[in-house]
Amino acid sequence: MKAKLEDVARLAGVSPTTVSRMMNNRGYVSEATKIKVRSAMEELNYFPNDIARSLFNKRTRLIGLILPTTANPFFGELTFHIENLCAAHDLKVLLCNSLNRIDKEEQYAEMLMRNQVDGIIVGTHNRGMLNYRKSNLAVVAIDRYLSDTIPVVGSDNYEGGRLATQRLIDRGCRRILHFNGPAELETPAQLRRKAFEETMERRGLPHRTYEIEQPLDRDDQLAVIRRAFDEHPDADGVFASNDMIAASVIFEAGRRGLSVPGDLKVIGYDGTGVITSAMPQLTTIRQPIEGIARAAIEVLLREIDGEFDAVDRQITLPVELYEGSTA
């Protein structure tokens, strides 16, 4: 049978209260007693009940993380950094892949609340799909607008869009296509599109933006990309809102006999380690993914401790241009 706290106390020759005080670091316990308790725990192969201890301490040390999918290199790398940084704070992460489905997000959010997580980091699109604020739960959004009260952490999307567009113009492109997510999505990433269109307009150049409904689905990406090339066979540049779309653009260009960067110049967005390792030639806008993870955790911990300042409602980190050869 699984050992209980009372079994440890009996073997150590102390009271259950003494064992509880030691495990929760509350009250004085002599070093000699600690040695006896640890010895008894080891002999009985006893592990403390984390849930019971968390209820006693009013903290579970659990953080929920709701993302569309870790199959996307950006979210995969973000998850790595969040989990790694949380471990340094003695926090455990419960990861939820929602695939941007409202029903799954609702189920995951309710599951996380039932497990009494201390807070949730959210990277999904569905604004207002439920009241995250019930139970006074601490919540931080990654590059998403969820409500007027939930802080947002992300990179400088407008500057990233401006850098990408200006790079293509500087390389001689005048007929540039842009691929982005649906315009109705209220996310800071829409600033990439805004920067693209305004930069083109300032130069007196036409702007053509194509929306991809399912950005994580390659078939959907290729269908939109092929339609764009069919409608604009003279396109000489492409700014893709993420590196996966950029990779699909390069694939389709090759299928059509177009050379990159000779006939077509391409620039992506995100600059994850996976993409820059697999496609070091891709010119892209690199987001500070580790910095985003660090800032999100810092804000969440301040929320949990009741020290969050509403002035810090939106945290924006700088981006940089990764010099590849495709643009």
Side-chain angles (χ1 to χ4, degrees), residues 9 37 43 108 111-112 117 130-131 182 203 221 233 242 253 272 301:
V37 172
E43 183 175 337
Y108 279 137
M111 180 271 288
L112 293 173
V117 295
L130 82 153
N131 182 10
R203 295 296 298 269
Q221 289 179 21
N242 69 54
T272 63
L301 291 176

Side-chain angles (χ1 to χ4, degrees), residues 237-252:
V238 168
F239 167 33
S241 62
N242 69 54
D243 292 335
M244 295 175 70
I245 295 176
S248 293
V249 167
I250 293 172
F251 170 82
E252 180 61 20

Side-chain angles (χ1 to χ4, degrees), residues 171-195:
R171 290 295 186 268
C173 298
R174 296 297 181 267
R175 299 175 298 278
I176 305 173
L177 303 179
H178 177 47
F179 296 97
N180 207 331
E184 61 268 19
L185 289 179
E186 298 182 64
T187 72
Q190 292 293 345
L191 292 172
R192 303 173 195 175
R193 175 177 183 166
K194 179 179 173 65

Side-chain angles (χ1 to χ4, degrees), residues 310-322:
V311 174
D312 300 327
R313 188 69 62 199
Q314 183 152 353
I315 296 176
T316 303
L317 303 179
V319 296
E320 64 180 4
L321 177 70
Y322 173 80

Side-chain angles (χ1 to χ4, degrees), residues 184-224:
E184 61 268 19
L185 289 179
E186 298 182 64
T187 72
Q190 292 293 345
L191 292 172
R192 303 173 195 175
R193 175 177 183 166
K194 179 179 173 65
F196 164 73
E197 295 177 349
E198 290 183 351
T199 302
M200 294 292 284
E201 288 172 359
R202 281 195 294 269
R203 295 296 298 269
L205 299 172
H207 53 77
R208 307 175 181 91
T209 298
Y210 284 80
E211 297 179 2
I212 297 179
E213 294 290 335
Q214 300 291 334
L216 301 178
D217 185 283
R218 191 163 185 267
D219 290 338
D220 187 62
Q221 289 179 21
L222 287 172
V224 176

Side-chain angles (χ1 to χ4, degrees), residues 20 32 47 120 127 164 175 225 227 233 251 284:
S20 178
F47 294 93
I120 301 177
R127 177 185 172 102
R175 299 175 298 278
I225 291 166
R227 176 165 60 86
F251 170 82
T284 187

Side-chain angles (χ1 to χ4, degrees), residues 4-24:
K4 300 179 180 178
L5 182 143
E6 290 79 7
D7 300 323
V8 174
R10 189 178 305 111
L11 183 60
V14 299
S15 70
T17 302
T18 298
V19 176
S20 178
R21 276 207 312 269
M22 176 191 145
M23 288 192 300
N24 291 291

Side-chain angles (χ1 to χ4, degrees), residues 26-42:
R26 291 178 177 271
Y28 174 76
V29 178
S30 70
E31 192 59 37
T33 299
K34 290 180 180 178
I35 292 173
K36 288 193 294 183
V37 172
R38 291 192 191 103
S39 177
M41 291 172 65
E42 185 175 347

